[in-house]
């Protein structure tokens, strides 16, 4: 529920934020994230941490790569992504993530493919918005 | 599009007030009809959810937005749903049809967004209902949809394992999909499946082998290699085959592949080499350790050579790496290096900051030492001192772990008891240190073990009196209750021991002094708030007082007191009891002997001791019984033990039989070197032990070398031995003491089953399905059904009709969707059939069939509804060609018609049959009828619901379908017509979304509706008229052109009268009210008019009835 969700986020942040810059990117979160089979994999970009929680079926370096793909995709979609972009457009971030990870499983790792799909969806959205707004303009 | 979220503060710093204001605002927005506003509100809610606010109250609005036709809104809805819905969300079942619709949407993004959302909140129900739709999508033309559909199948399998077998062939097919994304998704799903149950996927190995050599996608390669990692243990030949392509990969590809390869691959030596080159990178270091721990399981030797490297990692500043290294050390210890490693760990314990890491270190030390039955410990004195040192650790949570180890070692290693007892008594002596500094934490648990060991093995104590006093200090009462209880119990053991010593030495005074000490100090425990402590203390206090009396008479008591604690404890394996096979013909419930009322026998321990035992073998004694029951059981058990060949008696011989632990027992026993002092002064001793141990080993080596030299000299000098250097193998190290490790006892013919290790709740077990078997018919996926068909059971419906219905769709299951749609229509027709009351069923069915063929006219509501009128009416009564159902209310969604009938069974009750017809294209759900009761008329509600609660309508209505619900009203006075206000509320759900709708109506209870058609004979009618106690009234209506025949029929139909006699244009009619009023009519038809004279036992009723009749006739 929302409470455990917040607790996990808090503790994860607590764990991740106190780590040094040049230590490894893997963390065993313990019971909070569902036992020893799961681990936290994170990357640090300026003021942002991107943390993924994965089980043993994922390759650690693969996930590091995936985070990189995610960040680069965000960068392309937002044109020089920054913190505020992520906060003000949470839904967009979610939509981008949904193209990469679906229901907890990696869906697509090819950045070009992801960007193509996101662009197509944005276009669709724009066309709808246009139709939606046009009668108002008539008035 | 305005982004409301932008106005939101990014952080919840603005306080709860601001948030609640936001939520209020959102609630307002959700109430609006504009879907854009709603979507925006839901979007804000998603944001709030992310901040940790509960938004489950808006679940319904989310569904509404999900069902919007525009992709923009739909996406918002699905996002909110995927974030906030979970198995417990009750409205989730409402989404089934919406999702199904989106899945079959022509726009690939609608489908995509539905799949993404569904993957987050799929429930077993959704999985079952939608499995077939998703299966179809797996061969969609667009790769975008295919890959999503393939991936979501894993979630479906998890929730609905039955779908795995039917879907598997198609999944396999997707492994060779032309699109790399789809291929990768299929590999992903199969890897996930195979990870849990690899053996079912062995047959796919050749296919994956091909993929591995052909694929260029690193992601897929990693997954495949992981999959092979799971498969190779099951099929050794696979390993050999893999070596070549894998080495190719290593040369060709990056580290990523290499690392993942370590998960169980045979060519480990090369990979370790590479790992050590790349060591400086911390990420690689971590992964290297991870990989090593995997290799360690199969090839321990190759990892052990990197011990130093791993020990270095313990100094790493990165906690993740340290923990990994610790893990690895666990597998690396041997007899040779155990002390060294543990020493290293101990220094880390001292240095470590942060309790988590320290606790982790502590548990690891204990794990390392105790693994495989203390296999690597050569010197138990050293181990005990390590344990004692660990007790000085501040703030650890693992006191109980240390305590358990102390107990275990002391019980199982007999030779160590003397030393253990001396250490424990020292610990008890300094108990105040432990208890005061770390009371809040678990370290005082150690005292539990210390007290028990000192008590149980008190014969080894050097200064028992001193220890006794230490255990009776007032400070002890500050310890937790369960520890005090152990103290109290073991004080007596100690006391018994001292008593015996004193008596043997002839010191009667000394013995009395000890008794006095006990009598003085025990009361502090009697006052304990802990029941267990109090009970034991008062029991023992009485016992001691009794002893004191005996001592005063100079009676020797020591023998009897120590007899209380005679006998030895044997460790029993936790599962031992469970594993004793029940011999044939043994009925465990039958009495072997009739219960004896024997008193406590001397050689049995008192009950309190059993508590001790229970701590270690909980399976033994399910519940405490009262003393008598206990005695009886004990007796029975003794009998059983005597007869049971499988019972292991506590004689020393069986213990030896079980000494099959490898490594320690078969080592020749070496005499303890006298230079090793048994007690090393000062507490931090483990280091000294390490030194001593080294010296000892050195001496041993020297001795051996000497022997060897001698042997060599004896042998011919020219012959060189293959190993001139004295290599120290594990077996060369002899233990310092005679170690007598008592293995946990197991019954002789215990089955070596591991069944109990499996977790029955493991969700992946359900997916352990043989995939190579051909599909059986019964396994085919369910094809979409209308849920409402099952739920719309109104109470009067008869079961056979329902069954007939459900058979039909099954036969056609595998047909195309178009046909299904037809079927839907048919079903809806059949649904109407169901509305028909029982006796008209056949006839009606025939009629509907006829209609299906001809399709000339749509099913008119008039006719369909007309039928039920006859319910309860005599069959011979002719039917006028119209409905008695009057319009109640209608709007664009629903039309309500109703008929009110007097109940034949109950006085003062009427049944209101309401026919609801769905005239929209939406599906109507959750209909509720709420009626405002009046003083005179009340609705009969289900028990427990209040007057203000709505009464649910027991069905849902798909578009174009109508159904009837019946409600009973109780009427007090029937002489007047009356009206009740009511509201029908329902959820209309269509492609656009779901909306809450309401329809107000007024139920009109006319006086006619209180009348029930009752036949009457003319003679009885004449008598009634003659009786004279009926009041009279009459009306006359002009301008009637209808024939008299029809006129009468109309009166009969609408006002529930029956014709008694008819002569030309004159007729007498009769009816009876539900409360027993007689109503007689004389209807006469003139040229253009009709006059009605009525007689009734109640004048008001009559005048009201005639008014109603006038209204009816005026329409003719």
């Amino acid at each position: 529920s929302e409470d455990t969700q917040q607790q996990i986020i808090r503790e994860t942040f607590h764990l991740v934020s106190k780590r040094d810059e040049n230590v490894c990117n893997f963390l065993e979160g313990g019971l909070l994230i569902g036992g020893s089979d799961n681990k936290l994999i994170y990357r640090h970009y300026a003021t942002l941490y991107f943390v993924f929680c994965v089980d043993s079926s994922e390759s650690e370096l693969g996930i590091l790569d995936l985070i990189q793909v995610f960040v680069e995709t965000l960068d392309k979609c937002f044109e020089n992504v920054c913190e505020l972009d992520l906060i003000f457009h949470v839904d967009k971030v979610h939509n981008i993530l949904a193209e990469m990870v679906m229901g907890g499983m990696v869906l697509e790792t090819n950045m070009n493919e992801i960007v193509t799909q996101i662009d197509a969806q944005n276009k669709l959205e724009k066309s709808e918005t246009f139709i939606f707004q046009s009668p108002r303009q008539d008035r | 599009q305005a982004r409301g979220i932008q106005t939101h503060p990014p952080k919840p710093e603005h306080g709860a007030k601001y948030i609640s204001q936001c939520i209020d605002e959102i609630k307002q927005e959700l109430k609006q009809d504009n879907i854009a506003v709603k979507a925006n509100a839901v979007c804000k809610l998603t944001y709030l959810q992310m901040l940790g606010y509960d938004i489950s109250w808006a679940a319904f609005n989310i569904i509404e937005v999900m069902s919007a036709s525009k992709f923009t809104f739909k996406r918002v809805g699905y996002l909110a749903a995927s974030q906030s819905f979970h198995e417990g969300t009750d409205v989730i079942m409402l989404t089934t049809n919406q999702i199904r619709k989106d899945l079959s949407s022509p726009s690939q993004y609608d489908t995509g967004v539905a799949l993404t959302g569904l993957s987050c909140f799929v429930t077993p129900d959704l999985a079952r209902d939608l499995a077939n739709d998703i299966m179809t999508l797996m061969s969609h033309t667009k790769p975008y949809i295919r890959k999503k559909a393939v991936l979501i199948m894993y979630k479906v399998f998890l929730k609905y394992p039955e779908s795995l077998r039917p879907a598997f062939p198609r999944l396999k097919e997707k492994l060779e999909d032309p699109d790399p994304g789809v291929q990768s998704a299929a590999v992903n799903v199969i890897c996930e499946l195979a990870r849990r149950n690899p053996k079912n996927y062995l047959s796919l190995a050749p296919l994956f082998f091909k993929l591995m050599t052909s694929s260029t996608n690193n992601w897929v390669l990693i997954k495949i290699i992981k999959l092979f990692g799971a498969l190779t243990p099951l099929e050794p030949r696979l390993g050999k085959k893999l070596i070549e392509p894998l080495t190719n990969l290593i040369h060709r590809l990056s580290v990523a592949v290499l690392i993942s390869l370590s998960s169980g691959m045979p060519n480990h030596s090369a990979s370790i080499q590479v790992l050590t080159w790349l060591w400086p990178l911390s990420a690689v270091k971590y992964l290297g350790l991870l990989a090593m721990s995997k290799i360690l399981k199969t090839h321990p030797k190759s990892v052990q050579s990197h011990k130093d490297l791993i020990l270095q990692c313990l100094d790493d500043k990165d906690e993740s790496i340290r923990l990994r290294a610790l893990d690895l050390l666990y597998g690396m210890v041997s007899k040779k290096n155990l002390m060294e490693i543990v020493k290293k760990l101990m220094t880390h314990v001292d240095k470590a900051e942060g309790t988590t890491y320290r606790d982790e270190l502590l548990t690891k030390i204990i794990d390392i030492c105790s693994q495989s039955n203390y296999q690597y410990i050569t010197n138990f004195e050293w181990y005990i001192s390590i344990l004692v040192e660990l007790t000085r650790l501040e703030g650890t949570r693992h006191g109980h772990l240390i305590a358990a180890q102390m107990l275990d070692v002391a019980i199982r290693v007999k030779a160590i008891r003397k030393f253990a007892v001396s250490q424990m008594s020292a610990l008890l002596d300094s108990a105040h240190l432990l208890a005061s500094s770390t009371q809040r934490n678990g370290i005082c648990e150690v005292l539990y073990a210390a007290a028990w060991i000192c008590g149980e093995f008190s014969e080894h104590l050097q200064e028992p009196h001193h220890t006794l006093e230490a255990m009776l200090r007032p400070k002890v009462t500050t310890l937790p209750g369960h520890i005090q209880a152990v103290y109290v119990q073991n004080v007596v053991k100690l006391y018994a021991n001292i008593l015996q010593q004193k008596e043997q030495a002839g010191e009667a005074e000394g013995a009395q002094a000890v008794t006095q000490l006990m009598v003085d100090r025990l009361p502090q425990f009697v006052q304990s708030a802990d029941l267990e402590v109090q009970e034991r203390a008062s029991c023992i206090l009485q016992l001691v007082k009794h002893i004191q009396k005996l001592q005063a008479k100079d009676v020797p008591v020591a023998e009897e007191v120590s007899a209380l604690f005679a006998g030895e404890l044997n460790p029993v394996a936790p599962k031992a009891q469970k594993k004793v096979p029940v011999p044939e013909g043994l009925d465990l419930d039958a009495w072997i002997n009739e219960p004896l009322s024997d008193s406590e026998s001397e050689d049995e321990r008192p009950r309190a001791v059993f508590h001790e035992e229970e701590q270690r073998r909980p399976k033994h004694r399910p519940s405490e019984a009262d003393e008598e029951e206990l005695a009886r059981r004990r007796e029975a058990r003794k009998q059983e033990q005597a007869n049971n060949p499988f019972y292991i008696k506590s004689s020393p011989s069986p213990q030896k039989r079980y000494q099959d632990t490898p490594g320690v027992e078969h080592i020749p026993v070496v005499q303890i070197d006298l230079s090793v002092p048994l007690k090393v002064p000062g507490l931090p001793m483990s280091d000294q032990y390490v030194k001593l141990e080294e010296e000892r080993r050195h001496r041993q080596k020297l001795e051996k070398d000497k022997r060897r030299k001698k042997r060599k000299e004896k042998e011919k000098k020219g012959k060189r031995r293959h190993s001139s250097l004295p290599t120290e193998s594990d077996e060369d190290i002899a233990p310092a003491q005679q170690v007598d490790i008592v293995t946990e006892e197991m019954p002789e013919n215990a089955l070596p089953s591991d069944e109990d290790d499996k977790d029955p709740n493991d969700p992946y077990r359900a997916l352990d399905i043989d995939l190579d078997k051909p599909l059986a018919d019964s396994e085919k996926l369910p094809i979409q059904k209308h849920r409402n068909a099952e739920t719309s059971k109104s109470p009067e419906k008869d079961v056979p009709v329902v069954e007939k219905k459900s058979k039909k769709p099954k036969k056609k299951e595998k047909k195309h969707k178009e046909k299904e749609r037809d079927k839907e229509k048919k079903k809806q027709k059949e649904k109407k059939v169901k509305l028909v009351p029982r006796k008209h069923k056949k006839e009606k069915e025939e009629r509907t069939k006829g209609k299906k063929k001809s399709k000339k006219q749509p099913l008119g509501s008039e006719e369909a509804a007309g039928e039920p009128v006859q319910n309860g009416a005599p069959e011979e009564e002719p039917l006028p060609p119209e409905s008695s159902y009057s319009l109640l209310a209608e709007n664009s969604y629903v039309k309500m018609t109703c008929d009110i009938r007097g109940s034949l069974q109950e006085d003062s009750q009427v049944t209101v049959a309401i026919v609801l017809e769905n005239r929209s294209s939406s599906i109507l759900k959750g209909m509720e009828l709420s009626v405002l009761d009046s003083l005179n008329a009340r609705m009969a509600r289900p028990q427990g619901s209040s007057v203000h609660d709505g009464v649910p309508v027991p069905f849902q209505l798909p578009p174009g379908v109508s159904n009837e619900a019946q409600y009973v009203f109780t009427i007090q006075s029937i002489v007047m017509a009356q009206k009740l206000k009511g509201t029908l509320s329902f959820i209309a759900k269509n492609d656009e979304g779901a909306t809450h709708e309401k329809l107000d109506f007024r139920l009109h209870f006319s006086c006619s509706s209180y009348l029930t058609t009752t036949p009457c004979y003319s003679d009885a009618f004449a008598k009634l008229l003659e009786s004279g106690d009926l009041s009279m009234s009459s009306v006359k209506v002009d301008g009637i052109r209808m024939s008299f025949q029809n006129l009468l029929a109309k009166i009969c139909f609408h006002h529930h009268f029956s014709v008694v006699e008819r002569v030309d244009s004159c007729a007498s009619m009769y009816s009876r009210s539900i409360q027993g009023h007689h109503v007689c009519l004389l209807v006469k038809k003139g040229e253009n008019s009709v006059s009605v004279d009525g007689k009734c036992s109640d004048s008001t009723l009559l005048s009201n009835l005639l008014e109603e009749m006038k209204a009816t006739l005026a329409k003719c």
Side-chain angles (χ1 to χ4, degrees), chain B residues 94 97 786-794 797 824 827-828 831-832 834-835 891-897 914-928 953-965 967 984-990 999:
Chain B
L94 293 181
N97 280 323
H786 280 279
R787 289 165 148 268
N788 45 7
E790 292 143 47
T791 46
S792 64
K793 278 175 204 152
S794 87
K797 221 156 281 165
E824 254 174 61
K827 241 187 259 173
Q828 284 161 10
K831 197 168 203 54
K832 283 191 179 162
K834 280 200 293 183
L835 300 180
N891 62 8
S892 57
Y893 288 101
V894 69
K895 179 182 176 189
M896 294 172 82
T897 47
I914 299 177
V915 173
L916 298 162
E917 188 196 353
N918 183 356
R919 38 167 60 181
S920 69
S921 58
S922 323
I923 188 163
L924 302 185
K925 294 176 171 191
M927 290 184 279
E928 267 196 350
V953 178
F955 48 76
Q956 303 179 340
L957 287 181
V961 172
S962 62
N963 204 345
E964 183 191 77
Y967 297 95
L984 174 78
S985 59
F986 55 92
I987 298 163
K989 204 172 151 290
N990 61 4
L999 178 59

Side-chain angles (χ1 to χ4, degrees), chain B residues 1050-1090:
Chain B
K1050 236 177 153 66
I1051 295 175
C1052 286
F1053 185 70
H1054 287 290
H1055 302 282
H1056 309 128
F1057 278 84
S1058 56
V1059 178
V1060 181
E1061 225 170 9
R1062 184 185 160 195
V1063 186
D1064 297 332
S1065 54
C1066 182
S1068 55
M1069 304 177 90
Y1070 175 79
S1071 184
R1072 202 168 171 269
S1073 82
I1074 50 172
Q1075 285 180 349
H1077 302 100
H1078 302 283
V1079 188
C1080 307
L1081 293 183
L1082 184 66
V1083 185
K1084 281 185 216 153
K1085 188 168 189 305
E1087 262 308 307
N1088 260 337
S1089 67
V1090 175

Side-chain angles (χ1 to χ4, degrees), chain B residues 5 31 98 179 242 296 300 454 619 697 750 770 812 875:
Chain B
I5 283 193
K31 278 185 196 146
Q98 179 57 40
D179 184 82
L242 284 172
L296 187 75
C454 286
K619 284 276 147 74
R697 282 186 196 173
D770 183 6
K812 297 175 183 172
E875 259 184 36

Side-chain angles (χ1 to χ4, degrees), chain B residues 84-127:
Chain B
S84 65
F85 284 9
H86 48 85
E87 294 241 337
T89 309
D90 42 5
V91 289
I92 222 168
M93 56 185 249
L94 293 181
T95 60
T96 317
N97 280 323
Q98 179 57 40
I99 295 173
R100 177 171 292 145
K101 211 176 138 271
D102 287 337
L103 289 183
S104 52
S105 158
S107 158
Q108 61 167 330
Y109 294 113
D110 281 353
T111 314
V113 88
L115 283 171
T116 310
L118 183 64
S119 71
C120 292
F121 57 78
V122 61
T123 61
D125 281 344
L126 281 177

Side-chain angles (χ1 to χ4, degrees), chain B residues 696-804:
Chain B
R696 192 178 66 82
R697 282 186 196 173
H698 187 64
R699 264 199 306 280
Q700 267 180 11
K701 215 196 289 177
L702 286 180
E703 272 173 38
K704 254 178 224 160
D705 283 355
K706 254 188 229 166
R707 261 181 269 148
R708 208 174 279 157
K709 269 179 197 163
K710 278 179 195 165
R711 227 185 294 153
K712 262 187 191 170
E713 280 161 16
K714 279 177 195 168
E715 286 166 13
K716 288 174 187 171
K717 278 180 186 170
K719 238 183 193 176
R720 276 174 76 191
R721 300 208 79 189
H722 50 274
S723 62
S724 53
L725 278 170
T727 47
E728 241 186 314
S729 78
D730 276 2
E731 280 69 29
D732 282 341
I733 306 164
Q737 292 97 1
Q738 173 177 7
V739 182
D740 179 19
I741 297 182
V742 186
T743 335
E744 288 178 329
E745 285 177 0
M746 276 292 220
E748 264 173 346
N749 40 3
L751 305 163
S753 64
D754 293 325
E755 270 169 41
D756 26 25
D757 296 337
K758 281 187 187 164
D759 179 11
N761 296 327
D762 184 5
Y764 303 105
R765 261 181 93 177
L767 286 179
D768 192 357
I769 298 167
D770 183 6
L771 294 163
D772 300 329
K773 265 196 303 188
L775 271 180
D777 269 358
S778 60
E779 282 178 313
K780 287 195 178 122
L781 284 178
I783 300 197
Q784 56 179 8
K785 274 184 223 157
H786 280 279
R787 289 165 148 268
N788 45 7
E790 292 143 47
T791 46
S792 64
K793 278 175 204 152
S794 87
E796 53 172 4
K797 221 156 281 165
D798 39 355
V799 183
V801 179
V802 177
E803 276 178 0
K804 242 183 227 168

Side-chain angles (χ1 to χ4, degrees), chain B residues 152-179:
Chain B
I152 202 178
M153 278 318 274
Y154 178 64
K155 293 276 170 175
V156 174
F157 295 152
L158 275 185
K159 297 290 177 189
Y160 180 56
E162 288 86 340
S163 60
L164 177 54
R165 276 172 47 69
F168 194 71
R170 195 167 288 183
L171 189 60
K172 210 165 124 182
E173 197 181 291
K174 293 296 143 204
L175 283 176
E176 292 172 301
D177 197 277
D179 184 82

